[in-house]
Amino acid sequence: MSTDAGLLTAQDLELLRRPLHGFLTVAAGPLPPQPRPVWFEVTAEDTIQLFTGPDTHKVRRLRRDPRASIVVAAPVDEREHWVSIAGRTTVEPDGAHDLAARLAARYWNLDDPARADDLAGILAADWVRLVIHPETVSRYTY
C-alpha cells in the first residue's frame, strides 16, 4: 500500500474512470462509519464529484464537517486494486443535473427505455453536487 498527499497517479485515474461504484463515507456520521455506494466522476482537476439530494444526511453532515472519503475497488474477478481518496468536500448548488446525465450514460444503457425513464425521473428531482478535494490518496495494486 502507498499513500500520497492528494496526488492521483495515472493508474489511479485509469481505475477511477471505469464505471465502478465508489463507497462514500462522511465525517460526523454514525460510529462505526457506514459507507454508501455511489456513482462518481473524476474531473480534469483530479477532484471526485457525485450528486445527491440537497436534504440528505450526508449533506447536513458535510455542512458541519466537510471531511469525506471515497474508496473505489476493482471487481472481484480482477487482481486486487483499490484507491482511497480523503479530503475536504464542498457542496455545490450547480452542475448536478449535468453530472447525473453523464453518470447515467456511464453506468446504464440509456437505449433501454426503462433506464431512460429512470434518468428522466432523476433529472426531474433536485440535486446538489458534492466535490471531494483530495488531500490524502491511498492505494493498493497487486
Side-chain angles (χ1 to χ4, degrees), residues 2 30 36 40-41 62 66 75 77 79 92 94 107 128-130 132-133 142:
S2 68
R36 298 291 186 253
F40 68 92
E41 176 182 78
L62 287 167
D77 61 340
R79 293 187 77 114
E92 305 291 340
D94 63 327
Y107 287 89
V128 293
R129 188 168 48 95
L130 302 181
I132 302 173
H133 303 268
Y142 184 76

Side-chain angles (χ1 to χ4, degrees), residues 23-109:
F23 291 86
L24 177 73
T25 304
V26 299
L31 294 175
Q34 299 174 5
R36 298 291 186 253
V38 295
W39 289 354
F40 68 92
E41 176 182 78
V42 62
T43 69
E45 297 80 26
D46 287 353
T47 61
I48 303 295
Q49 59 182 0
L50 54 126
F51 67 97
T52 191
D55 300 319
T56 61
H57 287 292
K58 64 177 129 312
V59 169
R60 287 193 296 276
R61 290 178 182 132
L62 287 167
R63 290 194 191 284
R64 288 190 304 266
D65 185 337
R67 294 174 299 147
S69 67
I70 188 167
V71 176
V72 178
V76 171
D77 61 340
E78 296 180 18
R79 293 187 77 114
E80 187 173 357
H81 182 191
W82 57 261
V83 176
S84 174
I85 301 162
R88 180 184 55 82
T89 303
T90 57
V91 179
E92 305 291 340
D94 63 327
H97 286 91
D98 290 340
L99 176 61
R102 283 194 309 277
L103 290 175
R106 176 180 172 181
Y107 287 89
W108 290 341
N109 174 3

